[in-house]
Amino acid sequence: QVQLLESGGGVVQPGRSLRLSCVASGFTFSNYGMHWVRQAPGKGLEWVTVIWYDGNKKHYADSVKGRFTISRDNSENTLYLQMNSLRDEDTAVYYCARAVGATRWVDYWGQGTLVTVSS
Amino acid sequence: EIVMTQSPATLSVSPGERATLSCRASQSVSSNLAWYQQQPGQAPRLLIYGASTRATGVPARFSGSGSGTEFTLTINSLQSEDFAVYYCQQYNDWPPWTFGQGTKVEIK
C-alpha cells in the first residue's frame, strides 16, 4: 500500500535551517508529482510547494519563495524540503503528499512532521 | 490567486442526520475541486475529486456536487467517524493550489 513517511522536524531557532525528508513506498515514486502542505497549530491547510515527477518543474507559495527548496531523489524514493531563514510563522505540521498528475488532486498524505520555530 | 470560502465554519449535526457543507470559489474552477476529511491529530484523507467522484474506499453516504464557483459536500446519515473537519481544494488554476479554511462537523 502507499506509504509516505516524513522525518526531520523539530525545534529550531528563527533564522536557522532545517531539512525535511519524505520516504515513499508502495508505488512507483518516479511517476508522481509530490507536494508539501503545512498546517499551523489549530489552523487550516496551506499549500507550500510542488515538484514534478522528474524534478524538472517546481512551484512555491509566495510565503516561502526564496527560502524553501523542494527536491527529490527518485533512486531513493525520497522527497526533500530544505527550509532556510525560518520564521516563527513557519511553525506547522508539514505533510508530504502524492499528487495525481502533479497538477491535480492529492490522493495520499503522509502522517506529517512538526516544525517549531522558536527562540 | 483563487480564494476558496467554506461555510459554515462549524456545523452541529445529530448522528443519523444529513450534513451539507458549502465551498465557494472566487472565480470558476470548473469541476477541478477536491474534498478532504481530517480527523483530530491525523493527516487529511481524500474523499472526493472532480467535484463529484468518490475516492477509493469512501462510503456512498458522501457525495459531492457543483461546478464553476459553487460546490457542496453532502454526508447522509452521519456516523460517529464522520465528525471531523472538511476542506475543499481547487486545482484548476495554479500555483498556488488553494484550500478553503475548513468546516468542522461536530456532534449536536
Side-chain angles (χ1 to χ4, degrees), chain A residues 5-24:
Chain A
L5 186 61
E6 302 96 332
S7 61
V11 180
V12 61
Q13 293 180 326
R16 303 298 291 265
S17 299
L18 205 60
R19 187 176 85 155
L20 306 183
S21 300
C22 170
V23 177

Side-chain angles (χ1 to χ4, degrees), chain B residues 9-75:
Chain B
T10 303
L11 188 60
S12 298
V13 185
S14 299
E17 293 189 340
R18 174 186 297 171
T20 303
L21 290 66
S22 295
C23 175
R24 174 176 293 178
S26 60
Q27 62 190 74
S28 176
V29 299
S30 186
S31 294
N32 295 315
L33 184 108
W35 289 95
Y36 302 92
Q37 176 194 64
Q38 187 176 35
Q39 300 282 5
Q42 295 187 20
R45 167 199 177 197
L46 175 67
L47 293 178
I48 301 283
Y49 61 90
S52 61
T53 303
R54 279 190 302 277
T56 303
V58 174
R61 64 180 181 272
F62 290 90
S63 63
S65 63
S67 66
T69 61
E70 300 283 343
F71 301 88
T72 300
L73 175 68
T74 301
I75 314 170

Side-chain angles (χ1 to χ4, degrees), chain A residues 35 37 39 43-47 49-50 52 59-62 95 102-112, chain B residues 1 32 34 36 38 41-46 48-50 56 87 89 91-92 94-101:
Chain A
H35 294 262
V37 177
Q39 187 170 36
K43 303 297 184 182
L45 301 170
E46 179 190 14
W47 173 78
T49 180
V50 65
W52 259 238
H59 292 288
Y60 297 92
D62 287 346
Y95 296 101
T103 64
R104 302 174 78 77
W105 60 92
V106 165
D107 60 352
Y108 286 96
W109 301 70
Q111 87 292 345
Chain B
E1 171 178 332
N32 295 315
Y36 302 92
Q38 187 176 35
Q42 295 187 20
R45 167 199 177 197
L46 175 67
I48 301 283
Y49 61 90
T56 303
Y87 295 93
Q89 180 212 12
Y91 50 90
N92 187 71
W94 45 265
W97 286 255
T98 48
F99 293 89
Q101 80 279 20

Side-chain angles (χ1 to χ4, degrees), chain A residues 27-63:
Chain A
F27 66 101
T28 304
F29 181 67
S30 57
N31 286 352
Y32 288 86
M34 298 294 295
H35 294 262
W36 286 99
V37 177
R38 69 184 180 183
Q39 187 170 36
K43 303 297 184 182
L45 301 170
E46 179 190 14
W47 173 78
V48 176
T49 180
V50 65
I51 187 169
W52 259 238
Y53 68 99
D54 57 3
N56 283 343
K57 287 186 181 179
K58 306 171 186 179
H59 292 288
Y60 297 92
D62 287 346
S63 57

